[in-house]
Amino acid sequence: MRRGYWRDSGDAVGAEEAWNIWAPHAYDLLMEVAGRYQEVITYGEVGKEVQDRSGVRTSALLQNWIGAVLGRVVHRAHRQAHPPLTALVVHKDDGKVGVGYAEVLQMAGQPPVEDEMERERHAASARLDCYRYFHASGLPADGGKPALAPRLEQAVRRQHSTVPQPRPTCGRCGIQLPVSGACDYCD
């Protein structure tokens, strides 16, 4: 198996050069994703697609280079006054943006968001900005609404549906009421 970075022609490429080649492809890909309301893409899909589009390959683990590529996308979007396209990129397993999302906040002059769900809500709002800016197909006439990535939304719904609701208690003695609603001790 080949190691490092190389072109389909077999010529070796340095890591920085590969990242610089992949970044415009990632940018174009993310603009395409932004063109479809509520669409997101995984880090792995971005990684595969930029290699396929560019003809530059790597044996390096995705987590060792995707941040460098997406960091370039963050900076370009900021320079071009585009919304943060990297908000469209989520983890396959949980539907969350990565820790690199902090760079989006930094470029916007905003403080880091430590709370994970608050960061996800910020990313959802940024995704909506992308859909609106790039005139996404399927965008509702009312402009749409921020939404968590589908996988994360499912997890949040499951979590809320499995949290048992507290049963009512007796107003006099404080003991939990039976299904009948009448306190066995006080009524």
Side-chain angles (χ1 to χ4, degrees):
M1 177 179 184
R2 189 117 195 218
R3 300 197 45 83
Y5 299 82
W6 66 93
R7 295 182 188 279
D8 284 343
S9 65
D11 298 333
V13 176
E16 289 276 338
E17 183 181 359
W19 302 339
N20 289 332
I21 291 169
W22 289 333
H25 292 286
Y27 203 91
D28 292 345
L29 173 62
L30 294 178
M31 285 193 307
E32 292 167 21
V33 172
R36 296 180 298 274
Y37 182 59
Q38 301 295 23
E39 183 89 7
V40 293
I41 189 168
T42 67
Y43 288 93
E45 291 168 332
V46 171
K48 180 186 181 318
E49 191 64 28
V50 298
Q51 290 182 65
D52 290 348
R53 290 182 182 201
S54 68
V56 174
R57 311 286 174 181
T58 186
S59 60
L61 295 174
L62 180 72
Q63 66 261 24
N64 292 337
W65 59 266
I66 196 69
V69 172
L70 294 176
R72 286 161 169 77
V73 171
V74 169
H75 288 267
R76 179 177 168 190
H78 184 74
R79 281 192 314 272
Q80 292 185 211
H82 286 166
L85 289 163
T86 56
L88 300 163
V89 186
V90 298
H91 290 286
K92 178 182 176 181
D93 60 338
D94 62 9
K96 296 177 183 174
V97 294
V99 295
Y101 189 75
E103 195 165 356
V104 167
L105 299 167
Q106 182 182 9
M107 289 300 297
Q110 298 175 0
V113 177
E114 300 301 326
D115 180 74
E116 194 172 74
M117 284 310 295
E118 187 60 34
R119 182 178 64 226
E120 294 306 319
R121 284 188 283 280
H122 189 284
S125 180
R127 283 192 289 273
L128 181 59
D129 291 343
C130 290
Y131 303 134
R132 288 175 176 167
Y133 186 88
F134 292 102
H135 308 287
S137 63
L139 185 68
D142 68 0
K145 61 180 179 166
L148 298 175
R151 184 170 297 273
L152 179 57
E153 180 66 36
Q154 290 170 352
V156 168
R157 282 190 185 146
R158 274 193 311 272
Q159 183 180 24
H160 287 302
S161 69
T162 60
V163 174
Q165 297 300 316
R167 299 218 11 225
T169 56
C170 174
R172 283 185 260 164
C173 69
I175 292 178
Q176 190 176 54
L177 295 175
V179 177
S180 68
C183 181
D184 291 337
Y185 299 101
C186 298
D187 292 334

